[in-house]
Amino acid sequence: MRIGIISDLHVDRRHARYSISDFEHLLADEVHRRKIELLLIAGDISSDYRITTNFIHSLMARTGIDIRFVPGNHDYWQPESEDTSSADIYRFYREHPESMIGAPLILDDDWAIVGHSGWYDYSYADARFSTEKIASGKFYGGTWQDKVRTSWPMDDPALSKAFADAVRQDLEEVGDRNIIMMTHVVTHRNFAVPTPHRLFDFYNAFIGTSDFDTFYKEFPIRYSIMGHVHFRHQFTDQGIHYICPCLGYSREWRTDDLAVEIGNTLQVIDI
C-alpha cells in the first residue's frame, strides 16, 4: 500500500493567492500524481472543526481514496459564533468516521495505524520556568493562543496524560502488528526548536509531550508521524522512522507556489 502523509495545512488562514478550494484541488492533484492509496493528515487542517471536516469530505470526494486524520490544536479552537467547548469538539471528532481518535485502522495482518492528537505536557520547556509560569502561556509580551482559543476540563499536563492513556489502549488493541503512529504534537525532542532560544526556551513547553516515550519501547512502532512545528524533517532513531511533514503558513514556504510546496511536503510510506 502507498500511504501519503502531510500535516499543518491551515487551509483557512488568510492567503493572498489561495482559497480553501485551491488547497483541496492541488492536494488532490498531488495525491493522484503520486498514486497515493491512503492519505494521513496529522492535524491543523483549519481552526474551525466545521471547516476541517468539510475539507476532509470534499477531499475524499475529489481523490476517491480513503483519508484519515487526527485533529491538531488549531482544530480544537472554539468558533466565535458558537458556545462550543474544546471538549465538545473532541467528542465530535471521536464520532467522525475519518478521525483516528479511538479508531485504530487495521490495514492487514502485518500493519496497523494508531492516531491521536496528543497534547503537550510542558516537559520540553527550559527547567528555569515554573509550571505556573508556563500555564499562563504568556512570555515576552506574547500569549500562546491555545490559552485563548481552547477550553478543556483539565490542565495541559493532565490532558496530555489522558490522551496518552487513550493511545495506549489503541496500541494494545492492534496486537503485535507493525504500527504507524500518527500524532499532531511532537513526541520526539529532535523536533523541538533548538535551544537556547530567546522565545522557545519557553514556548517549547507547548510543542511536545514525554508521555509517549515508553510506547516506543513497549510496542512495535515502525513509523511515527507528527506535525505542529511547521518545519519538515525526518530521521531514524533505534529503528523507528520519524517524519514531520508540515506544510505550514505561506510565510514559511520556500516558494510562493502552493502546488510546489504541497509536492515538497507530502511524504510517502510504501508498505
Side-chain angles (χ1 to χ4, degrees), residues 30-103:
E30 187 65 17
V31 163
H32 289 142
R33 188 182 74 81
R34 305 275 283 274
K35 296 182 172 55
I36 302 299
E37 299 171 86
L38 168 67
L39 181 65
L40 303 178
I41 305 179
D44 275 8
I45 296 166
S46 81
S47 298
D48 185 314
Y49 72 96
R50 297 162 298 188
I51 295 174
T52 290
T53 50
N54 286 340
F55 181 82
I56 293 294
H57 293 155
S58 296
L59 188 61
M60 286 184 65
R62 187 179 288 269
T63 60
I65 66 167
D66 198 6
I67 297 174
R68 292 291 188 275
F69 76 99
V70 296
N73 56 311
H74 278 248
D75 297 299
Y76 290 113
W77 283 11
Q78 300 163 268
E80 295 179 1
S81 61
E82 289 186 6
D83 183 19
T84 306
S85 72
S86 299
D88 292 332
I89 296 170
Y90 178 80
R91 286 188 286 271
F92 171 82
Y93 284 131
R94 277 192 62 93
E95 299 302 318
H96 192 279
E98 279 70 56
S99 168
M100 295 214 66
I101 294 178

Side-chain angles (χ1 to χ4, degrees), residues 19 28 38 52 55 61 69 88 104-105 110 122 207 225 257-258 269:
S19 67
L38 168 67
T52 290
F55 181 82
F69 76 99
D88 292 332
L105 180 63
D110 297 321
Y122 302 168
I207 293 298
I225 303 159
D257 189 320
L258 178 57
I269 299 172

Side-chain angles (χ1 to χ4, degrees), residues 154-172:
M154 62 188 77
D155 63 24
D156 294 322
L159 189 63
S160 173
K161 179 64 165 57
F163 284 178
D165 288 344
V167 171
R168 176 178 289 278
Q169 293 182 23
D170 289 347
L171 290 168
E172 292 172 347

Side-chain angles (χ1 to χ4, degrees), residues 218-237:
E218 297 178 43
F219 299 97
I221 298 168
R222 307 305 180 208
Y223 293 92
S224 185
I225 303 159
M226 58 202 73
H228 194 39
V229 291
H230 285 206
F231 60 78
R232 307 162 196 171
H233 182 53
Q234 55 185 298
F235 64 93
T236 300
D237 182 18

Side-chain angles (χ1 to χ4, degrees), residues 70-224:
V70 296
N73 56 311
H74 278 248
D75 297 299
Y76 290 113
W77 283 11
Q78 300 163 268
E80 295 179 1
S81 61
E82 289 186 6
D83 183 19
T84 306
S85 72
S86 299
D88 292 332
I89 296 170
Y90 178 80
R91 286 188 286 271
F92 171 82
Y93 284 131
R94 277 192 62 93
E95 299 302 318
H96 192 279
E98 279 70 56
S99 168
M100 295 214 66
I101 294 178
L105 180 63
I106 306 297
L107 298 179
D108 55 30
D109 290 342
D110 297 321
W111 286 93
I113 305 173
V114 170
H116 201 288
S117 309
W119 204 251
Y120 37 78
D121 67 350
Y122 302 168
S123 63
Y124 285 22
D126 190 282
R128 75 179 187 272
F129 298 108
S130 68
T131 300
E132 291 73 23
K133 173 61 179 174
I134 297 171
S136 75
K138 299 179 182 297
F139 191 63
Y140 269 124
T143 301
W144 184 252
Q145 285 300 290
D146 288 351
K147 297 295 183 180
V148 179
R149 301 292 301 273
T150 67
S151 64
W152 297 98
M154 62 188 77
D155 63 24
D156 294 322
L159 189 63
S160 173
K161 179 64 165 57
F163 284 178
D165 288 344
V167 171
R168 176 178 289 278
Q169 293 182 23
D170 289 347
L171 290 168
E172 292 172 347
E173 181 179 326
V174 302
D176 59 357
R177 292 175 174 85
N178 296 304
I179 295 168
I180 299 170
M181 185 169 73
M182 178 169 63
T183 61
H184 179 66
V185 302
V186 167
T187 61
H188 195 295
R189 288 178 182 266
N190 278 9
F191 290 119
V193 176
T195 57
H197 188 285
R198 186 177 71 89
L199 295 177
F200 276 90
D201 285 359
F202 178 80
Y203 286 112
N204 269 339
F206 309 107
I207 293 298
T209 180
S210 299
D211 287 328
F212 284 58
D213 289 358
T214 59
F215 296 163
Y216 296 104
K217 300 174 183 177
E218 297 178 43
F219 299 97
I221 298 168
R222 307 305 180 208
Y223 293 92
S224 185

